[in-house]
Amino acid sequence: MPINLTSESALDTSKDSIVIRLNTFTLEGGRVLDVTGFAPANIQAGHIVIREIATGTYKPNPISGTAFSALPEGYAYAGIVVASVDKVTQGGGVAVMTQGVVNTKAMPYTMTTAIEGAVKTALNQIYFTFDNQ
């Protein structure tokens, strides 16, 4: 599907290979994310994915300003988006990494100290690191 590079919502993939340093395992077949209430036009590589426990529905983690919001009640952390996608088409599905290495400084939103520990505990097969430069 062609990407409209003149649109305000043009897909920026420039950090995809920087944020996902190593992808060793993804959820088989990817997941189509429920984007209800998710304002950005795109879902960027490095975005945290959550899963509703009762229904199994996958969603991008909510955001507030420049940071990931707290995990909503009834949800669990599921993984990290591997490659940036348009939120409407999602290319038929989003690759969700469950094992690998993520550069936290290149993530599209910051993990506050309030959620960082819970994310790292839940996604314990993902090593979160960053450059000290």
Side-chain angles (χ1 to χ4, degrees):
M1 169 174 281
I3 297 172
N4 180 357
L5 296 178
T6 62
S7 168
E8 187 177 325
S9 64
L11 185 62
D12 179 5
T13 61
S14 63
K15 287 188 178 179
D16 287 14
S17 64
I18 297 168
V19 68
I20 304 299
R21 289 185 161 182
L22 176 66
N23 177 13
T24 55
F25 193 82
T26 58
L27 297 175
E28 189 173 335
R31 297 295 183 270
V32 174
L33 305 182
D34 175 358
V35 294
T36 304
F38 187 73
N42 300 310
I43 304 166
Q44 297 294 317
H47 199 102
I48 300 169
V49 176
I50 59 175
R51 182 181 57 82
E52 187 173 21
I53 296 166
T55 64
T57 301
Y58 288 80
K59 299 182 79 155
N61 195 93
I63 55 171
S64 178
T66 61
F68 288 109
S69 298
L71 184 68
E73 188 172 330
Y75 284 82
Y77 293 112
I80 304 290
V81 173
V82 174
S84 299
V85 295
D86 174 275
K87 90 168 180 187
V88 175
T89 63
Q90 296 182 42
V94 174
V96 179
M97 180 175 74
T98 58
Q99 185 177 32
V101 180
V102 172
N103 179 348
T104 58
K105 297 291 185 190
M107 291 176 84
Y109 304 94
T110 58
M111 280 194 292
T112 62
T113 54
I115 72 161
E116 185 176 11
V119 170
K120 289 180 178 181
T121 298
L123 303 177
N124 61 11
Q125 295 294 306
I126 297 175
Y127 179 61
F128 294 89
T129 187
F130 59 90
D131 293 329
N132 286 325
Q133 302 173 13

